Amino acid sequence: MVKTILKQVKEFKKDSILTPIFMILEVILETLIPLLMAAIIDNGVEKGDMNYIYKVGAIMVGLAVLGLITGMLGGKYGASASTGLARNLRRAMFENIQSYSFSNIDKFSTAGLVTRLTTDVTNVQNAYQMILRMCARAPFSMICAMVMAFLINAKLASVYLIAVILLGSCLLFIMIKATRYFKQIFPKYDDLNASVQENVSGIRVVKAYVREDYENKRFTKASGNIYNMFKKAECIITWNAPLMQFTVYTCILLISWLGAKMIVVNGLTTGQLMSLLTYCMNILMNLMMLSMVFVMVTMSTASAERITEVLNEKSDLANPQNPVMEVKDGSIVFDHVNFAYSKDSEEPVLKNINLDIHAGETIGIIGGTGSAKSSLVNLISRLYDVTAGSVSVGGLDVRQYDMEALRNQVSVVLQKNVLFSGSILDNLRWGNKDATEEECVRACQMACADEFIERFPDKYNTHIEQGGNNVSGGQKQRLCIARALLKKPKILILDDSTSAVDTATDSKIRQAFATEIPDTTKLIIAQRISSVQNADRIIVMDDGKVADFDTHENLLKNSEIYRDVYESQNKGTGDFDENGGDQ
């Protein structure tokens, strides 16, 4: 875990090294000041030597200024190193998430990833800064102060040593008790973020069903869990302060009492006693600083573990050693394909799939909810790897291609595709960042999106809100289809992506595909048979198997499943599934 986190220090290694160096220099300068103060009292004040007082006082001022400068430099480099580490951690996590396959993404919740990128990284950042500054400063300062105290008077200094051992043991016990709670806290942040995310993204549904009170209670419960866990942890940690105060004042009383007796018998000077009291405060306050570092490290340990999980997660999919960079054509072959989302699954989602699709064909895919239609097409662009058998595109197994090259030639339009904040042109250029406005307009005409875009005051420069919340479902789907067309793919997959489009517009889109992109292989998943009946061939899926694969006319004659659905829809009873549903 530590090794994984420290890998991200990278260009901030220099700052990470300079920070403890400057903190140690500050400690050395601060440690000399009490000695000079003792010298002023013993050799200047008691003897009335003003020249000596001015001389040593000037040296003290100089040391104080140098100490201030080194402390400021330590703070500056510490801040640079910690914030740089946080930046690199967020960047590394985000880049690694981009490389995840769908199966990797399924291991983490969206809320959990957001928490890791924000709260957890901030905790590690704060801990790293404290480690660089306080873990270098506090132990070194304690050691220097203890050495100086023993040089002045070993008998009195032993009081510090006993106090440090006792207080250190108590603080260690407190930290161990608090750690158990901190490790439970941060997963609770995931629940809180999930509550906020779902509420904000589904705010229209919340208001439509008047569920504000329910959502408020849900949020209150999630935040209450975090409150209770933090309260328990903080209640334990609050023992730090009274224990520290008790130890400090006990040491001061003992040293003052014993030191006064020694002064009486000339075993100690007044200046030395003042130095010992200063070192007493120095030692115990540095011990308090270390306890705060332990608190922060304890909190950040759980966060660091969660960050490491994201950084160490490797994609299940990888490019071959010498990947093929060009897809010859849009032909697709499924050869005895089995597929399961989990290796531990008792039964595969797809079972013994055998298909041979020619380049340029239009293939319809229908089937009930849960019949694995989406799972079938996800294998074509290698979003998942098959469990057994092979999927070939352009005559080659998809595992032989460079994944980016393959996916650039396979455009997928989902039922719930996403639009991003920005103009319509910005969203369209996700398909092709170099597309001209004329190409964007042409793609929108093919997707029948131009008719509503032209009605907007700003036309193609109209701003789209995050998630496309200011356009209708049908408009969003047509924009996503246009975006996919801009890739000029060899294979176009429409995964129930015209479900929110009226029948007439659906027909226009299919007609445009037939005339404008005849060489592109088109796979159309649909609930309405009217959306696929003009396809060259139609796949009928049933319980993860290909029940039938033929033309519309032949399926009507030979496929009981297809015929039943066709007749039910022609009687006006609806789509393939009575209640529709997601794939």
Side-chain angles (χ1 to χ4, degrees):
M1 177 185 72
V2 174
K3 186 177 179 181
T4 301
I5 298 294
L6 291 181
K7 277 183 181 179
Q8 301 305 320
V9 175
K10 294 180 180 178
E11 68 268 34
F12 297 97
K13 287 180 182 177
K14 175 185 173 184
D15 293 350
S16 298
I17 294 171
L18 288 175
T19 300
I21 290 175
F22 280 115
M23 300 313 298
I24 289 171
L25 287 174
E26 182 187 20
V27 168
I28 293 172
L29 294 170
E30 287 181 354
T31 303
L32 294 174
I33 290 176
L35 284 178
L36 295 174
M37 182 179 66
I40 286 178
I41 294 172
D42 293 338
N43 302 322
V45 176
E46 291 186 356
K47 295 180 180 179
D49 189 345
M50 294 303 297
N51 288 331
Y52 186 84
I53 293 173
Y54 289 142
K55 180 181 177 181
V56 177
I59 295 173
M60 288 178 67
V61 171
L63 291 176
V65 171
L66 287 174
L68 176 64
I69 293 172
T70 54
M72 290 173 61
L73 288 172
K76 172 192 171 186
Y77 287 114
S80 174
S82 60
T83 53
L85 172 64
R87 185 196 71 180
N88 289 346
L89 282 173
R90 289 192 176 99
R91 180 187 295 170
M93 279 197 290
F94 189 80
E95 289 177 353
N96 202 39
I97 291 169
Q98 300 305 306
S99 71
Y100 284 177
S101 67
F102 279 20
S103 58
N104 294 118
I105 294 172
D106 293 341
K107 295 179 183 178
F108 302 96
S109 66
T110 302
L113 290 174
V114 170
T115 305
R116 285 167 166 84
L117 282 161
T118 52
T119 305
D120 288 329
V121 171
T122 300
N123 288 335
V124 171
Q125 173 187 339
N126 294 335
Y128 188 64
Q129 184 171 23
M130 291 192 74
I131 288 170
L132 289 179
R133 298 184 64 190
M134 297 307 169
C135 278
R137 189 187 197 287
F140 190 78
S141 181
M142 284 176 59
I143 292 169
C144 288
M146 190 70 74
V147 169
M148 299 305 294
F150 270 93
L151 289 174
I152 293 172
N153 190 288
K155 183 177 179 180
L156 288 179
S158 62
V159 174
Y160 301 154
L161 187 60
I162 294 170
V164 167
I165 294 172
L166 290 175
L167 186 58
S169 300
C170 293
L171 293 179
L172 181 62
F173 176 76
I174 290 172
M175 291 305 102
I176 292 173
K177 293 285 287 182
T179 300
R180 181 164 56 92
Y181 290 107
F182 283 124
K183 287 187 175 180
Q184 298 175 30
I185 286 172
F186 296 106
K188 299 292 182 184
Y189 274 113
D190 294 351
D191 297 334
L192 184 66
N193 283 341
S195 176
V196 174
Q197 179 190 2
E198 288 183 356
N199 182 270
V200 172
S201 61
I203 191 66
R204 288 170 174 80
V205 178
V206 172
K207 291 186 174 298
Y209 285 88
V210 197
R211 298 284 281 179
E212 290 90 346
D213 289 341
Y214 170 80
E215 289 295 320
N216 284 334
K217 290 177 182 177
R218 186 179 171 209
F219 179 84
T220 301
K221 181 180 178 181
S223 59
N225 287 335
I226 294 176
Y227 163 77
N228 290 329
M229 297 301 293
F230 261 119
K231 181 180 177 182
K232 291 176 181 177
E234 294 293 342
C235 283
I236 295 173
I237 291 173
T238 50
W239 283 95
N240 276 6
L243 278 173
M244 178 61 64
Q245 293 297 326
F246 176 78
T247 305
V248 168
Y249 291 128
T250 300
C251 285
I252 290 174
L253 287 172
L254 286 172
I255 290 168
S256 298
W257 180 59
L258 294 173
K261 291 179 69 176
M262 289 183 176
I263 290 173
V264 171
V265 296
N266 294 323
L268 192 73
T269 66
T270 304
Q272 289 175 328
L273 178 60
M274 293 298 297
S275 296
L276 283 169
L277 289 172
T278 303
Y279 288 131
C280 170
M281 294 299 296
N282 190 321
I283 291 169
L284 297 176
M285 291 311 297
N286 278 301
L287 190 61
M288 186 65 180
M289 286 183 187
L290 275 179
S291 73
M292 297 309 298
V293 171
F294 288 142
V295 172
M296 185 59 68
V297 169
T298 299
M299 290 177 61
S300 66
T301 298
S303 293
E305 289 174 354
R306 287 156 54 82
I307 291 170
T308 302
E309 286 178 3
V310 177
L311 290 175
N312 288 341
E313 181 73 21
K314 300 302 179 185
S315 176
D316 294 338
L317 307 179
N319 280 331
Q321 289 187 347
N322 298 302
V324 178
M325 303 301 295
E326 186 176 348
V327 180
K328 179 182 176 183
D329 55 46
S331 61
I332 304 167
V333 176
F334 283 75
D335 184 13
H336 296 90
V337 168
N338 285 352
F339 170 70
Y341 286 101
S342 173
K343 295 178 181 178
D344 301 326
S345 298
E346 295 181 2
E347 187 175 352
V349 176
L350 292 170
K351 306 155 194 172
N352 196 30
I353 304 296
N354 290 283
L355 295 170
D356 189 351
I357 299 169
H358 305 136
E361 273 194 300
T362 299
I363 303 296
I365 305 174
I366 66 168
T369 300
S371 60
K373 302 186 297 293
S374 295
S375 300
L376 181 76
V377 297
N378 282 340
L379 300 178
I380 297 171
S381 54
R382 207 188 169 198
L383 297 176
Y384 296 94
D385 267 343
V386 298
T387 306
S390 66
V391 177
S392 298
V393 171
L396 292 175
D397 192 314
V398 292
R399 289 168 289 195
Q400 294 181 249
Y401 287 107
D402 174 79
M403 284 189 288
E404 185 175 339
L406 174 66
R407 291 170 186 172
N408 275 331
Q409 294 301 322
V410 181
S411 279
V412 182
V413 185
L414 304 172
Q415 181 182 7
K416 293 184 178 179
N417 238 313
V418 177
L419 294 178
F420 299 89
S421 55
S423 68
I424 289 177
L425 283 175
D426 290 337
N427 273 277
L428 292 173
R429 284 173 178 146
W430 273 69
N432 178 4
K433 63 181 179 180
D434 299 319
T436 64
E437 186 168 345
E438 291 74 20
E439 289 175 321
C440 292
V441 171
R442 184 61 188 145
C444 287
Q445 289 172 346
M446 292 171 61
C448 296
D450 61 315
E451 57 188 47
F452 69 84
I453 295 175
E454 292 295 335
R455 293 198 296 267
F456 291 143
D458 295 326
K459 296 183 173 26
Y460 285 84
N461 292 313
T462 299
H463 181 76
I464 298 294
E465 295 179 3
Q466 184 178 6
N469 290 328
N470 59 332
V471 291
S472 71
Q475 291 172 339
K476 186 189 299 185
Q477 286 186 340
R478 282 180 275 175
L479 286 173
C480 291
I481 292 172
R483 180 173 65 189
L485 291 173
L486 275 173
K487 291 181 73 173
K488 299 177 181 176
K490 288 185 170 64
I491 299 173
L492 175 64
I493 299 171
L494 303 181
D495 189 353
D496 207 10
S497 53
T498 57
S499 58
V501 175
D502 61 86
T503 306
T505 303
D506 185 14
S507 178
K508 290 179 183 178
I509 293 172
R510 285 185 283 108
Q511 186 176 358
F513 287 170
T515 56
E516 299 291 339
I517 50 173
D519 296 329
T520 298
T521 305
K522 298 164 281 291
L523 303 178
I524 304 172
I525 296 176
Q527 297 290 346
R528 296 188 296 240
I529 285 184
S530 60
S531 297
V532 297
Q533 67 182 28
N534 293 324
D536 296 316
R537 288 184 289 172
I538 301 168
I539 300 170
V540 180
M541 297 293 298
D542 182 36
D543 192 27
K545 300 176 182 176
V546 175
D548 290 288
F549 183 29
D550 212 330
T551 63
H552 169 70
E553 292 76 14
N554 289 338
L555 288 173
L556 284 176
K557 296 175 184 176
N558 305 318
S559 174
E560 184 178 349
I561 297 175
Y562 188 85
R563 187 168 55 251
D564 288 345
V565 175
Y566 177 77
E567 290 174 356
S568 67
Q569 290 187 2
N570 281 343
K571 290 176 182 177
T573 55
D575 291 341
F576 192 95
D577 291 297
E578 184 177 347
N579 297 318
D582 295 335
Q583 303 301 307

